[in-house]
Amino acid sequence: MVSGRGGELAVAALSGYGIGEVFTPAGEHVPAIHDAARAARMRVVEVRHEQTAVFAAEAVATLLRRPGLAVLGAGPGVTNAVSAITAAHFNAAPVVVLAGRAPAWRWGSGSLPALDHVAIVESVTRSAATCTEVGNIGVDVRAAVLAALTPHRGPAFLDLPMDVVFCAGEAELPAATLPPPVEPDPAAVARAGALLAAAERPVIVAGSDVYSADAVAALRECAETWRIPVFTTGLARGALPGDHPLAFRCCKRAALARADLVAVLGTAPDLRLGGGTDARLIHVVDAPPAADGPPGDDGTLWVAGDLRLVLSGMADHRGVRADHADWIELLRVAEDTARAQEAGHLADDREPIRATRLYAELRRALTDDAIIVGDGGDVVSAAARHLDPGRPGSWLDGGRYGNGGAGLGYALGAALACPDRPVCGLLGDGAAAGSVLEVESLVRHHLPVVLVVGNNGSFGTAGLRGADDRTPGLRLEKVVAALGGAGETVATARELAPALRRAFESRVPYLLNVLIEPRPDPE
């Protein structure tokens, strides 16, 4: 048993999970947690908006493979963060969200704000609950952490009413345990191995969960054992070096069109399959699907379990294996042809600046250890086609939920989680304009993030037209300068390289406002 105020007991219950920081805005419901965190030598990182707190906690959880922590005030403090909690849900990020709540003894009598948060967030969290007694805090907080960490992972939410978090008492503190790995079905693993052995034109598409499950080495072993071409998405990008003979990037559509077997590892088989494939699918996930199961019965072989165990088991399959030398050579020709075409676009120095030229200069400016944060529509989706992260765990974006405005929070969390690595945010002008005031948090916490805005002054996602024309050439760098950072507008291709050099050498939050070619209106 441990004793203290509720806030102290909550922080004590988090010990043993490696949490070193709490992201939070100011709020009258939760200073007891702030005080306890400081006393426990946790860094209290105050931000301007609640969604930034959760996005930053997601970045830390994702990059460091351990829980991230956000602490929010009651009412609008929670509802302001619902989109960010949902993003963590879609991205399977183990974020623990502790929130203030009106005291139980004042519930229904006008206490502000009396709102049932649990009913709002329970559909996008691994668990959502309210702690009702000081003596339950240790058990309830540990339960939230375990729920967040249990595969498939995701955010967990716990309400701490004011009459719980501010009052003194005693609480049981359970041991800081971790969920056991999910053991895969040996028969399913063997079946997957047999399908790989028989396939003549197999392809691997590996996603973020390969990194989150610390299965990068197992992925490489499996690919090299079977001699299978690999395409990566999200955090798995860089799992195989760009010059690895089995690493491919530019010919995915052609590969999927001709493949007879596609193994999708640690990601959903969605638009990242380039619009679909007629090949037989193996879908490897880190936990059994939800009770309603995977959609449809299309012949997909589902293998659920710890990705390291599944991939190692597949690599251990014995028996005759098809030779893939001709298949690899065919894709290598397609890859080289596509990269040759890409090179021409990357070298384009016409004005207005082509987005591809911006990506070319970023490729030269970014070091292998750089973390790239994407936030936007076409600017970011195109960047994903042209930028090669140097190692896994180096690419953060909104994922399948696609939440615009996440970039500043992700960048803040990444810079704190990995202080020895450069962090570059690549943003569309819409995403930047909607979140740029959070740069003040980067300035206050001395985080030298470089923000590169592809400013085309238009709504470009999928060729759709926005509700109204946007103001072209917004001087977003002036906002950053007013908040204590620095920046500049870049209008010509020849200015890109020196501007990027100044940005990374500045050691302050720096925004490059790159005026790129507007997207033509759809017909």
Side-chain angles (χ1 to χ4, degrees):
M1 297 287 276
V2 294
S3 60
R5 288 201 304 170
E8 296 168 333
L9 299 175
V11 171
L14 295 169
S15 63
Y17 290 101
I19 300 174
E21 62 293 298
V22 49
F23 297 98
T24 183
E28 65 179 6
H29 299 89
V30 287
I33 299 178
H34 299 164
D35 292 345
R38 292 188 184 96
R41 300 185 180 277
M42 293 173 63
R43 181 169 182 171
V44 178
V45 183
E46 184 177 337
V47 297
R48 291 291 180 174
H49 196 280
E50 288 82 3
Q51 73 170 7
T52 303
V54 179
F55 284 136
E58 180 190 336
V60 168
T62 297
L63 292 171
L64 300 184
R65 304 188 185 102
R66 50 91 163 157
L69 175 63
V71 175
L72 311 175
V78 173
T79 56
N80 281 350
V82 169
S83 286
I85 294 170
T86 306
H89 165 71
F90 273 88
N91 294 333
V95 175
V96 177
V97 180
L98 303 181
R101 181 182 170 98
W105 64 277
R106 290 289 305 276
W107 199 264
S109 60
S111 181
L112 297 177
L115 177 69
D116 184 7
H117 307 136
V118 170
I120 294 172
V121 303
E122 60 185 352
S123 68
V124 290
T125 52
R126 299 285 290 169
S127 70
T130 299
C131 181
T132 57
E133 298 180 13
V134 176
N136 293 340
I137 286 182
V139 172
D140 288 351
V141 170
R142 285 282 168 88
V145 176
L146 284 175
L149 290 172
T150 298
H152 179 56
R153 301 176 310 280
F157 179 90
L158 182 64
D159 255 339
L160 296 173
M162 294 181 72
D163 51 347
V164 171
V165 76
F166 283 95
C167 291
E170 291 187 333
E172 180 184 354
L173 198 63
T177 57
L178 295 174
V182 177
E183 294 286 340
D185 178 1
V189 174
R191 176 64 177 149
L195 288 175
L196 284 173
E200 296 181 354
R201 300 181 306 280
V203 167
I204 287 175
V205 178
S208 290
D209 287 344
V210 170
Y211 174 81
S212 300
D214 199 13
V216 171
L219 166 65
R220 187 164 180 169
E221 176 194 12
C222 186
E224 291 177 343
T225 297
W226 291 100
R227 301 289 298 162
I228 298 178
V230 176
F231 296 86
T232 54
T233 67
L235 291 159
R237 299 181 66 198
L240 271 64
D243 59 356
H244 192 285
L246 297 175
F248 293 83
R249 172 173 59 83
C250 297
C251 65
K252 182 192 292 185
R253 187 176 297 275
L256 295 175
R258 300 196 61 174
D260 61 353
L261 179 70
V262 178
V264 182
L265 313 177
T267 187
D270 53 19
L271 56 83
R272 281 162 285 199
L273 287 186
T277 178
D278 294 328
R280 177 73 185 269
L281 287 179
I282 298 172
H283 192 191
V284 178
V285 293
D286 59 7
D292 53 358
D297 183 14
D298 58 0
T300 298
L301 172 63
W302 290 77
V303 186
D306 184 288
L307 296 185
R308 291 169 295 188
L309 299 178
V310 173
L311 292 173
S312 295
M314 289 165 59
D316 286 342
H317 178 79
R318 298 293 182 263
V320 177
R321 303 177 181 182
D323 179 66
H324 302 141
D326 291 344
W327 171 234
I328 294 170
E329 179 59 27
L330 178 68
L331 292 186
R332 183 54 59 193
V333 171
E335 179 79 6
D336 291 345
T337 300
R339 290 195 178 227
Q341 294 173 343
E342 175 190 56
H345 296 300
L346 295 174
D348 192 336
D349 61 359
R350 288 178 295 172
E351 297 177 9
I353 301 171
R354 271 41 178 182
T356 48
R357 179 58 187 273
L358 169 58
Y359 308 139
E361 296 299 342
L362 281 168
R363 285 168 68 161
R364 285 188 275 268
L366 295 173
T367 56
D368 282 347
D369 63 340
I371 297 173
I372 305 168
V373 175
D375 185 9
D378 283 353
V379 168
V380 176
S381 61
R385 295 195 297 270
H386 297 295
L387 297 180
D388 283 320
R391 58 165 118 161
S394 299
W395 179 276
L396 293 173
D397 63 22
R400 289 189 297 136
Y401 190 55
N403 197 11
L408 270 293
Y410 286 163
L412 189 153
L416 281 171
C418 306
D420 298 329
R421 300 175 63 183
V423 176
C424 178
L426 180 58
L427 294 79
D429 55 317
S435 59
V436 69
L437 292 179
E438 200 67 76
V439 165
E440 190 275 334
S441 296
L442 297 176
V443 172
R444 184 163 23 91
H445 295 290
H446 308 289
L447 302 174
V449 171
V450 172
L451 302 172
V452 179
V453 178
N455 189 347
N456 62 6
S458 62
F459 181 81
T461 300
L464 301 176
R465 186 180 180 88
D468 197 1
D469 291 335
R470 289 181 177 169
T471 303
L474 284 176
R475 299 301 299 273
L476 296 167
E477 80 282 1
K478 290 186 176 293
V479 179
V480 172
L483 295 172
E488 59 188 285
T489 287
V490 180
T492 65
R494 66 177 179 273
E495 296 174 322
L496 280 169
L500 283 165
R501 185 167 55 251
R502 286 189 292 271
F504 283 103
E505 291 176 352
S506 70
R507 304 305 300 164
V508 299
Y510 200 104
L511 187 143
L512 289 184
N513 188 30
V514 183
L515 305 183
I516 61 175
E517 179 184 27
R519 184 186 180 105
D521 288 337
E523 296 182 357

